[in-house]
Amino acid sequence: MADTSAQKPVPPQPPATVADIMRPPLSTVEPNDHVAAAAYLMKRADASALVILDPRTGMPAGIVTATDIAHAVADGRDLNEARIHDLMTASPVVIDKATSINAAARTMTGGHFRHLPVVGDAGLIGMVDITDVCRALLDIDLSLESAGGTAQPQ
């Protein structure tokens, strides 16, 4: 007698938290660094944001993005004279590595952020950007569809 209870393959688990999708922080800058140096670092690291760390805590004290630099250029600022502290967003919103993908998406859309530094007990441990979060949400939708469920907004 043949076994008729065929087992369905288990689909791969979609990412659940930002720890699953974050990228390591590639580069940081100092508040007194030139904005031109930050632009150079972003290009070399293929990054669209850099974090400024508090030297005492290792936690993010600021963030500077490619958009901040583009606005400085549009305003006619000399990037060789302007300093990071002139453009950075001080005390950026950060998330914990255990934050769900949905919670990260809500934080990003609610605050109009494209980047979120990820912190742990020891300080900065990574970065997520809107592309990472969207990709993860699409993976969650696709895994629900392939499992026969329907994607429900949360």
Side-chain angles (χ1 to χ4, degrees), residues 3-53:
D3 184 7
T4 58
S5 61
Q7 294 183 352
K8 291 183 182 179
V10 177
Q13 291 295 325
T17 67
V18 294
D20 298 325
I21 64 168
M22 72 180 184
R23 300 175 197 183
L26 297 175
S27 299
T28 59
V29 288
E30 298 291 324
N32 287 323
D33 289 347
H34 291 99
V35 174
Y40 176 81
L41 281 174
M42 284 182 192
K43 180 179 179 182
R44 299 290 297 173
D46 193 26
S48 54
L50 300 172
V51 176
I52 298 89
L53 295 178

Side-chain angles (χ1 to χ4, degrees), residues 11-17 20-21 101-102 131-147 151:
Q13 291 295 325
T17 67
D20 298 325
I21 64 168
I101 302 297
N102 283 333
T131 303
D132 301 324
V133 171
C134 287
R135 212 176 268 131
L137 290 172
L138 288 172
D139 287 348
I140 290 168
D141 267 359
L142 290 174
S143 77
L144 287 173
E145 286 174 15
S146 69

Side-chain angles (χ1 to χ4, degrees), residues 20-106:
D20 298 325
I21 64 168
M22 72 180 184
R23 300 175 197 183
L26 297 175
S27 299
T28 59
V29 288
E30 298 291 324
N32 287 323
D33 289 347
H34 291 99
V35 174
Y40 176 81
L41 281 174
M42 284 182 192
K43 180 179 179 182
R44 299 290 297 173
D46 193 26
S48 54
L50 300 172
V51 176
I52 298 89
L53 295 178
D54 181 321
R56 296 171 310 225
T57 65
M59 291 293 188
I63 188 169
V64 63
T65 68
T67 301
D68 296 328
I69 294 171
H71 287 198
V73 169
D75 291 341
R77 299 198 55 183
D78 180 350
L79 300 187
N80 289 312
E81 294 298 321
R83 304 294 179 156
I84 298 295
H85 62 79
D86 296 329
L87 302 182
M88 74 180 201
T89 299
S91 303
V93 172
V94 299
I95 54 176
D96 182 84
K97 66 182 179 179
T99 302
S100 73
I101 302 297
N102 283 333
R106 281 191 294 276

